[in-house]
Amino acid sequence: MSGTSTTPGSLREAGPFVLPERSLAGVGSRPFGIYIHVPFCATRCGYCDFNTYTAGELGTSASPQSWMEGLRRELDAAAELTGAPAVDTVFVGGGTPSLLGGDGLADVLGAVCASFGLADGAEVTTESNPESTSPEFFDRLRAGGYTRVSLGMQSAAQHVLKVLDRTHTPGRAVAAALEARAAGFEHVNLDLIYGTPGERDEDLDLSLDAVLSAGVDHVSAYALIVEDGTALARKVRRGELPAPDDDVLASRYERIDARLADAGLTWYEVSNWAVSGAECRHNLGYWDGGDWWGAGPGAHSHVGGVRWWNVKHPARYAEQLAAGSLPVGGSEHLTDEDRHLERVMLTARLRTGLPVAELDSGERRSADAVVKDGLLLRDGDHLVLTDRGRLLADAVVRTVLR
């Protein structure tokens, strides 16, 4: 883009948020992603603090139709503002995107293509709840242009799913993964949560057996975090459930890593494992400081060192777009120091590691001490977390940056 204006003419009255020319410089020469936030859920899981709403919570204030109208408007505005670079990755998350059905998700991708267009070989992912999928659903997704599916499994143990307030039956996630593969999806992910109160080693083994039986090429596994304001947090606070134990979480992580490694899935980020070539390119864009536009209520974006986030409520989101305004709720311009800190925090979590050249002299001395402690190792000109270092990744980063 050229000229002195920071926004195209049609967006000059869109509100106080603008992207400076220095942030727009180079857009399109770097990988560019689109994240779409679908804020709808059939029920609210007890551990979840995401920006999601059930039909009862929304009432008549918003609907999938008003959300979709707003989404089209936001994508059109985003394309005009950024110069519509070809999109390398699309990730539809939530919430429960599969509640839109195969046709609805095809419409979402169609809206992205209408505003931006996809780069050759683009990765297109949607999250899905196993209970709202079917063979016909996956067939429609595949025909609609999706290349990757991520399914929320969490656990194969019924009592663990009950604690998490998950509604799917234990076997449904594996069945859904097999249906996705039968529909032609080469890339299928299953999500696990470990450390749920009441989970036993044998429950985790049951979950891992199920994951491996599904033949997926990617697994994400996250330690349960008790988020303030959730139903799970209230139960822990009242003493109805114990808080997750750090030693148990570490033991479970090691168990997951060993089983997945034996099956040919290698860690490439602390919480993610994949067969070679099946890494999630969209998420790698986040971890590597890439550009992406997050569309939808509460979605976060980052372009050229500027981060912003949309208003959270779907009704307000749709209303602001209908009035001709970008639905930005807040923004921040990252300083060079901010970008450096984030670069260290994120790349340290990757198997490719942290480039030594990006550390100052003091940080290199701190990193050398961590290497001596056995938490980092040198791999050429990068620093990579050891197996023990992955268990203490946040502490490693704090030590390097202090």
Side-chain angles (χ1 to χ4, degrees):
M1 299 179 68
S2 60
T4 58
S5 174
T6 56
T7 60
S10 62
L11 291 177
R12 287 176 189 159
E13 301 303 317
F17 174 74
V18 294
L19 276 173
E21 288 288 345
R22 65 179 181 276
S23 297
L24 292 169
V27 169
S29 64
R30 305 180 294 265
F32 190 89
I34 297 285
Y35 171 74
I36 306 291
H37 186 72
V38 180
F40 309 111
C41 279
T43 60
R44 182 173 295 281
C45 298
Y47 63 91
C48 179
D49 72 336
F50 294 164
N51 187 44
T52 62
Y53 304 83
T54 64
E57 290 168 338
L58 285 175
T60 59
S61 66
S63 67
Q65 292 73 31
S66 64
W67 169 82
M68 188 68 198
E69 291 169 5
L71 181 67
R72 293 182 189 279
R73 291 188 175 104
E74 185 179 5
L75 289 171
D76 283 345
E80 187 175 7
L81 181 58
T82 59
V87 175
D88 297 280
T89 64
V90 179
F91 196 105
V92 184
T96 309
S98 49
L99 287 179
L100 300 177
D103 288 340
L105 284 169
D107 288 345
V108 168
L109 182 55
V112 174
C113 293
S115 298
F116 283 90
L118 298 180
D120 291 340
E123 174 193 88
V124 183
T125 304
T126 184
E127 294 180 336
S128 297
N129 185 321
E131 285 295 324
S132 51
T133 64
S134 66
E136 295 75 22
F137 169 83
F138 292 118
D139 286 340
R140 183 68 184 94
L141 286 187
R142 197 74 185 94
Y146 285 81
T147 67
R148 189 172 180 276
V149 174
S150 180
L151 295 159
M153 176 178 173
Q154 320 316 352
S155 176
Q158 180 65 61
H159 70 98
V160 174
L161 293 174
K162 184 176 181 181
V163 172
L164 296 173
D165 292 325
R166 296 289 294 183
T167 58
H168 64 268
T169 55
R172 178 57 204 154
V174 170
L178 293 172
E179 290 166 2
R181 289 175 56 80
F185 281 97
E186 179 183 358
H187 301 305
V188 180
N189 171 68
L190 284 171
D191 277 351
L192 290 176
I193 290 178
Y194 60 94
T196 300
E199 180 189 62
R200 304 162 299 184
D201 286 346
E202 52 263 42
D203 297 322
L204 180 61
D205 286 339
L206 181 67
S207 297
L208 291 167
D209 289 343
V211 165
L212 296 176
S213 74
V216 297
D217 62 355
H218 192 288
V219 176
S220 300
Y222 304 103
L224 179 67
I225 297 175
V226 180
E227 302 284 3
D228 289 341
T230 62
L232 180 62
R234 291 190 289 273
K235 291 179 181 179
V236 170
R237 187 171 59 248
R238 292 194 296 262
E240 297 172 20
L241 291 172
D245 180 273
D246 287 343
D247 290 337
V248 171
L249 293 177
S251 174
R252 296 273 159 78
Y253 180 88
E254 291 173 332
R255 202 179 192 95
I256 291 167
D257 184 55
R259 288 288 306 277
L260 295 181
D262 286 345
L265 286 88
T266 303
W267 79 278
Y268 70 97
E269 192 274 341
V270 169
S271 298
N272 290 271
W273 292 257
V275 301
S276 179
E279 299 85 356
C280 179
R281 288 161 47 198
H282 185 84
N283 286 343
L284 282 170
Y286 295 154
W287 298 319
D288 204 32
D291 292 335
W292 75 90
W293 189 291
H300 285 232
S301 304
H302 172 267
V303 174
V306 178
R307 180 184 293 117
W308 67 96
W309 47 93
N310 286 346
V311 296
K312 287 189 171 183
H313 200 280
R316 188 178 174 206
Y317 168 79
E319 288 166 0
Q320 289 192 205
L321 283 158
S325 297
L326 286 171
V328 176
S331 64
E332 57 182 337
H333 291 239
L334 302 178
T335 65
D336 289 343
E337 182 181 2
D338 292 334
R339 298 178 78 170
H340 172 70
L341 293 176
E342 292 197 358
R343 175 80 174 158
V344 172
M345 285 190 292
L346 295 173
T347 59
R349 294 179 61 86
L350 297 174
R351 189 180 184 90
T352 50
L354 171 65
V356 176
E358 297 190 14
L359 300 178
D360 64 30
S361 58
E363 290 166 346
R364 291 183 192 184
R365 287 193 296 272
S366 296
D368 287 340
V370 179
V371 170
K372 290 179 181 177
D373 288 339
L375 302 179
L376 283 174
L377 60 84
R378 286 187 176 272
D379 184 4
D381 56 358
H382 286 66
L383 293 165
V384 181
L385 290 168
T386 63
D387 290 347
R388 191 163 68 91
R390 278 188 279 158
L391 298 174
L392 301 166
D394 291 342
V396 169
V397 169
R398 287 194 300 269
T399 300
V400 171
L401 290 173
R402 69 185 179 192

